[in-house]
Amino acid sequence: MSKKLLQVEQLSIALKNPHQQLVRDINISLEEAGATVLLGQSGSGKTMTCRAILGLLNRNTFQVDGNIQFDGVSLLQLKEKERTLYYGSKIAFMPQNPMTSLDPSRKIGVQMAGFLKLHQDLKGKDALSLYEQALSRAGLTDTKRILGSRPYQLSGGMLQRCLIALAIAGKAKLVIADEPTTALDAIHRDKAVEQFLHLQEQGCALLIVTHDFDVARHIGGHVLIMKEGRMVEQGRAKEVLQNPQAAYTRELIEAIHLGWR
Ligand SMILES: Nc1ncnc2c1ncn2[C@@H]1O[C@H](COP(=O)(O)OP(=O)(O)OP(=O)(O)O)[C@@H](O)[C@H]1O
């Protein structure tokens, strides 16, 4: 049996002032090289759940309760400095807008090599060469130009691949991606899904947020359907998407089939 990598138990998130419950009692169990997809309409708490797992929620603003175990370590108990050892190395994050997670003034090569140096004890030149190889593995051909570009000089899809390359080079154990295909056309969307599945084949677990049921179907694994901060249904992707038990999941699927009227 595969080893558990991420175990989220009874995760609840509240805004402190004024008090507002945003997420309640979410449970996620993800094995090494497994996949979990979070689905649900806008505002259902998917991003908040990811940000809590990543330790990105400001503790003065948000109250986060529950237990988040990653690779045997309780993430919520970690101090800020200890957390940086996990994020960007063992756990890679792809935010909704990759542009916002990168420094607009610094070249991609310098930024990415900087992350790898920090976590892998490499010399600058070696980190850059490791990253360049990973860019090729992420399907980017024009690697020299990309290394020398600043984030705003690349497209959203290219930036996303730059982050996928970072996960490849950093040998991430878990990738958390928040709506990684929303800004992509159908061809790039399919390519991005392929890249995620490739990462998974290399032993990386995936936690993916999406609105796109086709993406969820292709990623497979486990799905968790969220509504208003709560989990309404979860199970194997095939079963939930083909034969949803909750009325809300059926509504979501029906809405997609009806499309715009
Ligand atoms: N910085 C914030 N301060 C206060 N409330 C917030 C903040 N960010 C999000 N929320 C609230 O938390 C709830 C969950 O938002 P979240 O962004 O997690 O939804 P989501 O499911 O990811 O939506 P989307 O699919 O549109 O990205 C919403 O009610 C939202 O208004």
Side-chain angles (χ1 to χ4, degrees), residues 15 20 22 40-49 62 96 179 211:
L15 187 65
Q20 190 190 347
L22 303 175
Q41 64 189 185
S42 248
S44 56
K46 306 178 298 294
T47 297
M48 279 287 165
T49 300
F62 298 100
Q96 268 185 36
E179 294 185 21
H211 286 120

Side-chain angles (χ1 to χ4, degrees), residues 37-180:
V37 177
L38 301 186
L39 275 163
Q41 64 189 185
S42 248
S44 56
K46 306 178 298 294
T47 297
M48 279 287 165
T49 300
C50 293
R51 295 183 77 83
I53 295 170
L54 288 154
L56 291 176
L57 295 179
N58 185 324
R59 291 182 189 187
N60 294 324
T61 312
F62 298 100
Q63 174 71 37
V64 180
D65 293 303
N67 185 22
I68 304 175
Q69 288 278 126
F70 172 78
D71 215 9
V73 173
S74 182
L75 292 183
L76 290 179
Q77 311 302 326
L78 292 183
K79 298 206 173 78
E80 192 80 31
K81 259 196 172 167
E82 295 167 324
R83 269 200 243 138
T84 56
L85 296 174
Y86 285 85
Y87 303 122
S89 59
K90 290 181 183 171
I91 305 178
F93 179 43
M94 288 169 209
Q96 268 185 36
N97 179 358
M99 198 78 80
T100 56
S101 68
L102 296 166
D103 181 342
S105 66
R106 292 166 70 222
K107 292 180 180 171
I108 294 288
V110 175
Q111 293 193 53
M112 299 303 186
F115 280 122
L116 293 172
K117 258 171 70 181
L118 182 72
H119 294 295
Q120 296 200 15
D121 199 19
L122 290 169
K123 289 202 176 100
K125 228 175 81 187
D126 296 336
L128 198 61
S129 136
L130 178 69
Y131 184 66
E132 189 173 358
Q133 288 165 32
L135 278 177
S136 304
R137 285 175 57 201
L140 288 163
T141 45
D142 206 0
T143 55
K144 287 276 184 279
R145 179 175 79 87
I146 291 164
L147 292 175
S149 297
R150 293 183 171 79
Y152 62 85
Q153 293 171 313
L154 300 176
S155 73
M158 284 165 114
L159 278 180
Q160 197 183 60
R161 283 184 179 214
C162 289
L163 292 180
I164 288 180
L166 185 63
I168 294 172
K171 298 194 179 71
K173 287 188 152 198
L174 169 65
V175 165
I176 299 181
D178 192 357
E179 294 185 21

